Structures are given as C-alpha cells and as structure tokens.
Amino acid sequence: MTNRVRFAPSPTGYLHIGAARTALFNWLFARKTGGKFLLRIEDTDLQRSTDESTRSIIEGLEWLELDYDEDLVFQSANAPKHRAAAERLLAEGKAYRDFTPKEQRSDTSVKEDISERARAQQAEGVDQRSNPFRNLSKEESDARAAAGEPFAVRLKVPESGQTRFDDIVYGPQERSYSEIEDLVLLRSDSHPLYNLSVVIDDIEMGITHVIRGQDHLTNTHKQVLIYEALGAPVPRLAHLPLILAPNKGKLSKRKHGEVVSLTTYRDRGFVPAAFRNFLALLGWAPPEGKEILSKEELIEYFSLEGIGRANAIFNFTENDPRRWTDDKALWVNSEYIRTMPIEELLPMVKAELRANKLWREEYDDDDREWFAKTVDLIRQRYFTLKDFSGQGRAYFSDDFDFDETAVNKNLRKEPRLRELLKGLADKLETVEPFNTETAEAALRAYAEETGVKAGLLINGSRTMLTGQSVGPSMFEIFDVLGKEASVERLRSGIPWS
RNA sequence: GUCCCGUUCGUCUAGCGGCCUAGGACACCGCCCUUUCACGGCGGCGACACGGGUUCGAUUCCCGUACGGGACGCCA
C-alpha cells in the first residue's frame, strides 16, 4: 500500500514556520517512501478563513518547493459528507442529540473560560459524560427534533474503557474514556466540527499517516473514538514537537511579529533551499551529523523515527537587526549563497537587483560573464540575497553611499591620500591591459615611488571605489569595476567633502 | 483543577547500559592565513534539572520532585 499523507492548514493567516515544518516533514515522508503528499485547506471556520490566506499557503509551499500530489481539497466542500456521517452515528445510537441551548463565548477569553469550567467541574466531581440528553429515549429525541427544537449532535463516548494508539514519535498513548467528554460532532446549526471533519476527510482521502503538531496529541484520542464508531481503521500517527519562542512560550504573530511568517524569509533574502534545510534541522537530526543537505539528501536520510520529542526553541533576538532570526538559519543561508552553483544563484540575484532598480539587461546578454564573475566575487561574505543590493550596490551602480566609519578610517586619517589617490588614478589610467595582476603591479609600483605603504593605498582605494572598509581583494575590485570606473571613483571628491 | 508530553553546552542536537574524559553544528573568544572583511585551518569556553532506586556499571531503565510545554469549545 502506498503511503498517503496530508498537510492540512486552516487558512486563517499567513503560513507559520511551524506549519511550514509540518508540511516539510509530511512531504519528506511521502517522497522518501514513494507515497503521496496531499494538501487540504481546512476552511470550515468561515468566519476566519480567507482566500488570501489560502493563496499565501500555496505560495509558501511553492517557495519551499514542496509540490503536492492530486487536487487541492477544500474541507468546506465536504460538509455534506461530514453531516451524513454524523447522521449515521445518530441513527446507529453512537451519537445523540443534545438540546442544551448553545452557550455564548467571547472569542478572546475562551481558553481561560474553558480551563475555568474544567476546574470547576473537576472540583464538583462532574463526570464528563453526564449530559442529561445522553440517554433520552429515541422517541422523545425524534419528537423534539421534529418539533423544530435546535440540537447539537454529540458522540456517545463509551461508559468504561480507554482509547489507545501508538504514536510513531511519542510511543504508546492511552486515555481513559472517563476523561473524554461527549464531543460535539455537529453544531446546532448543523455545521460539522473539526474533529469529525478531519476524520471523515482523512478516511475519504485514504490517509495512511497523520503527521502533525504535538498540540493535537491529546485530542487524537477523540478522533480515535470517531474512527472506532465509524468502524474505520485508524491511520498511523506521528506528532511533532513544537517550535517555541526564545522565552519558551508559544511562537505567535501577535507577540513575535513577522519572524514567524514564512513569507518574511522570502522577502528578506532567504534562498528557499536554505530555509528548507534549516527547517528540517528543527526537531530532526540527520545521521552522520551532516547539516547542509540538498533536497535529495534530505529525502534520503529522513525518517519519522529520527524525530525528537522535546520542543525546539527558535532562537532570535527582538530588536536586534543582525539577529532578527535564528543565527543558524542565517548561517545556513550564507552557506548556500556562498557555495551553491552560481547558475542557480544568478536568477535570485537578478530578482533582487531588479527589485532595487539595479538590474541592467546587459547582465543577461553581453555582460553575462562579467555579472557571474562579480556575483561570485562578492557572494563570499553575504548572508542574504538582500546584501547584493545593499552592501553590493557599488558593484552595480555608480550611485552608492560612503560609510562614515570607513571614510574616517581609510581616507580622512591620512589627508595626503586625497592627492595620492588622484596620482594613483593617473597611473592606473595608463595601464593596458587592465586586470587584477596589472592593477596590483601598478599600485605597488606607485606605492614604492611615493614612499607610502601599499596597504594605505589599498584601503583608501577600497573605500573610494565601494564606499566601504570591507570587501573582496582590492585588485579583484579594480578588475571587476574596470579601468574607467576605477579611475573615475578614485578622483571623486564626494567622500572628502 | 485534571490529563498528556518533555527536560544533554546560550541555541539546534548526537547518544537508544560499559565505546562518554558526553560527540557535532551555530553563536562567542583566541591563534594562523590575509596590508581589509569574510571564507578556511587550529584551539578555547560550554551541558546529562534534582533526589531515590535497579545494576558489577547509569546520560541511557524505573519511581518521585522541580521546572517547562500541550490539551480540556456548538474554534481549528
């Protein structure tokens, strides 16, 4: 039997990195075992679901290159099936009508309300299954329903016994029936609820392995109960440890902002493969300890058994521009930028330059070679794609800023440099051909002639040509910028004013 | 409140009774390389939450405590 797994997000916001990791693990498992990876949008909460969110989820998966098989499923489209299943359980006596009027809950304080209620019931010793309508006679129930009285449909959780399942990650799980309340299957407006919908859809889609966040672990018992009532086999279950904020709390948009949104990583210059690689390392460790893994290697090494049980902390520092996200994520990204095949990097740099109006069509044409060479030269010290338009601006435009610190350190500190560099410009102007070697020879000869250290001219030139104090070898910069631009920039008065 | 889950360097983790003087990666620090900054190389700092068992021997197994997380809805 081929494995079938699904990623089933609810479209109530951007794609959270925790959800993205769940998607990744499902996808890896499917690709590893030759199974199918399906996508289901759980849009049954029409109040909060948006098309925009659905689009962002699909875009996010595309960005991470997690392709899904078969048609996208919208859970809302299956509502009639969910309802029919509930009717069936009702008819079979495995569920019952609850005529208790619906309680109103303010959406903001639900969590507190729920635990409050649970606490109170606990203290009073109320049984979870003591609903007064649980044992209402069929006749009376039918009569009241026929009379138009509103009712919710609840699953009749058996009197005594327990549910059990073997979680692939967390091991054997047991829960006594007495701890599970008669859960609502159908709302009084006949709207099917989550636990019912997931089970029906998973059955319908032939899901063999449910891989999802650990926050669903205890609720899984309820779903097992539904599978059993329906007489359907329970799929294999694997729950994933959660990704927490640095304070060990929940990672949420409200509290932590854009750092938890997948699109942020795309917008801030992450290479998709790099972020995917990083995500895979959160809660899972490859054998051999090799951490930079291609898509193929990830698939080859992945296994559900290799997933850890402890929650992982996503380590970032709020309000620190350099540490805006996890250090290791940044490192993985720089590793990719630095070592990935240049042909794969070029289109990404192109998009980045284009977005910043630094792109020229010649880079794709006559200057293709120059462009590749330049990108290859500067990528060594970059962390994100953004750096190509930021720190790298001087390589693609004559309009760039001078870093104050660099100007003070490499130029103003030695006032003679203003004239010395003009002299160097005159000298370089005569160099033919102009390349790394000849530029170096000319500069060193000029240093000798004028009796100054080559380093003084090198550092001064770097700042004149790039506005910075750091960067590639000066002679490589001369070569890449060419004689004309190099000479012109050396003669510039801008940094001196 | 009840139930469930977890706890190895600051962070991600390896470890599935002796190979552990607890390994790797990121971060941090130092040295080398380099007339810049990175990369790279070498080295340093740095952890088995605590207490009981079991065992010839516990990071590894069991129990308890502490701490953290999750769940408990006519949300998903």
Side-chain angles (χ1 to χ4, degrees), chain A residues 293-304:
Chain A
L293 301 156
S294 67
K295 186 195 272 191
E296 291 69 31
E297 289 171 315
L298 242 24
I299 293 170
E300 185 187 342
Y301 297 135
F302 185 78
S303 80
L304 293 175

Side-chain angles (χ1 to χ4, degrees), chain A residues 9-61:
Chain A
S10 49
T12 52
Y14 58 89
L15 185 55
H16 187 283
I17 54 172
R21 189 197 55 168
T22 300
L24 173 62
F25 283 13
N26 272 284
W27 181 86
L28 285 172
F29 178 73
R31 295 296 171 257
K32 165 87 184 185
T33 62
K36 300 285 186 196
F37 171 66
L38 313 179
L39 178 59
R40 180 173 75 225
I41 303 293
E42 309 224 314
D43 58 344
T44 54
D45 185 339
L46 350 301
Q47 303 290 331
R48 296 189 297 157
S49 299
T50 65
D51 291 346
E52 191 196 341
S53 172
T54 299
R55 271 198 302 280
S56 105
I57 288 165
I58 293 171
E59 275 173 26
L61 293 181

Side-chain angles (χ1 to χ4, degrees), chain A residues 354-370:
Chain A
R354 185 169 261 167
N356 288 280
K357 301 195 163 51
L358 292 171
W359 174 255
R360 290 192 211 147
E361 288 308 324
E362 303 92 270
Y363 296 162
D364 248 353
D365 196 12
D366 292 351
D367 292 341
R368 203 183 156 71
E369 215 173 299
W370 174 87

Side-chain angles (χ1 to χ4, degrees), chain A residues 53-95:
Chain A
S53 172
T54 299
R55 271 198 302 280
S56 105
I57 288 165
I58 293 171
E59 275 173 26
L61 293 181
E62 255 168 37
W63 185 68
L64 286 175
E65 298 174 297
L66 305 183
D67 53 316
Y68 57 90
D69 305 304
E70 304 184 4
D71 290 334
L72 175 62
V73 172
F74 283 94
Q75 187 161 65
S76 58
N78 296 339
K81 283 178 189 152
H82 305 156
R83 232 168 264 133
E87 303 294 349
R88 197 185 114 201
L89 292 176
L90 193 55
E92 290 172 358
K94 290 172 179 167

Side-chain angles (χ1 to χ4, degrees), chain A residues 65-355:
Chain A
E65 298 174 297
L66 305 183
D67 53 316
Y68 57 90
D69 305 304
E70 304 184 4
D71 290 334
L72 175 62
V73 172
F74 283 94
Q75 187 161 65
S76 58
N78 296 339
K81 283 178 189 152
H82 305 156
R83 232 168 264 133
E87 303 294 349
R88 197 185 114 201
L89 292 176
L90 193 55
E92 290 172 358
K94 290 172 179 167
Y96 62 92
R97 297 190 185 93
D98 178 3
F99 295 96
T100 310
K102 184 182 176 181
E103 270 181 68
Q104 285 306 328
R105 283 211 161 78
S106 78
D107 215 45
T108 46
S109 62
V110 252
K111 288 293 173 188
E112 293 85 272
D113 290 359
I114 300 306
S115 50
E116 195 62 37
R117 197 191 63 154
R119 217 189 316 273
Q121 288 189 346
Q122 204 70 234
E124 292 164 28
V126 178
D127 188 284
Q128 296 279 20
R129 295 148 303 169
S130 60
N131 189 295
F133 297 97
R134 185 176 156 107
N135 295 311
L136 197 65
S137 72
K138 187 178 186 312
E139 293 68 34
E140 190 179 347
S141 177
D142 287 348
R144 289 174 71 163
E149 190 175 343
F151 60 87
V153 176
R154 284 184 187 269
L155 183 74
K156 198 180 274 183
V157 175
E159 210 51 62
S160 66
Q162 58 200 316
T163 51
R164 61 180 80 222
F165 63 90
D166 238 310
D167 193 89
I168 297 172
V169 174
Y170 287 95
Q173 302 292 317
E174 280 185 7
R175 197 172 180 199
S176 165
Y177 289 155
S178 64
E179 286 155 15
I180 307 172
E181 77 165 339
D182 288 340
L183 60 145
V184 173
L185 267 18
L186 244 41
R187 252 198 245 161
S188 50
D189 60 2
S190 90
H191 183 78
L193 254 24
Y194 175 73
N195 286 117
L196 207 223
S197 301
V198 195
V199 170
I200 301 301
D201 287 354
D202 282 343
I203 293 172
E204 197 74 22
M205 292 165 80
I207 300 304
T208 59
H209 297 251
V210 172
I211 304 167
R212 73 214 327 178
Q214 194 227 58
D215 46 343
H216 289 285
L217 191 58
T218 37
N219 280 333
T220 300
H221 292 280
K222 296 179 181 174
Q223 293 174 18
V224 168
L225 238 22
I226 297 177
Y227 277 107
E228 287 170 353
L230 254 20
V234 180
R236 295 283 282 136
L237 296 149
H239 286 86
L240 272 22
L242 268 22
I243 299 176
L244 270 25
N247 66 358
K248 295 184 193 292
K250 210 168 185 173
L251 203 50
S252 76
K253 185 180 189 181
R254 267 200 69 192
K255 286 184 71 175
H256 306 103
E258 62 166 7
V259 71
V260 301
S261 169
L262 186 71
T263 52
T264 300
Y265 296 86
R266 181 193 62 198
D267 299 342
R268 294 188 69 156
F270 264 77
V271 171
F275 198 68
R276 183 179 57 210
N277 192 153
F278 169 74
L279 236 30
L281 262 20
L282 235 39
W284 172 78
E288 320 276 316
K290 188 183 178 213
E291 299 197 315
I292 298 293
L293 301 156
S294 67
K295 186 195 272 191
E296 291 69 31
E297 289 171 315
L298 242 24
I299 293 170
E300 185 187 342
Y301 297 135
F302 185 78
S303 80
L304 293 175
E305 288 71 24
I307 295 171
R309 282 168 286 278
N311 293 340
I313 292 173
F314 189 64
N315 202 14
F316 60 94
T317 312
E318 271 169 299
N319 305 321
D320 182 343
R322 206 172 77 75
R323 297 253 165 101
W324 65 274
T325 188
D326 197 292
D327 271 335
K328 198 158 185 171
L330 252 9
W331 171 76
V332 172
N333 201 45
S334 72
E335 190 72 19
Y336 271 77
I337 286 181
R338 180 164 357 110
T339 61
M340 67 192 289
I342 193 80
E343 300 72 36
E344 288 173 31
L345 178 63
L346 257 22
M348 298 181 196
V349 177
K350 174 179 177 176
E352 175 58 28
L353 294 184
R354 185 169 261 167

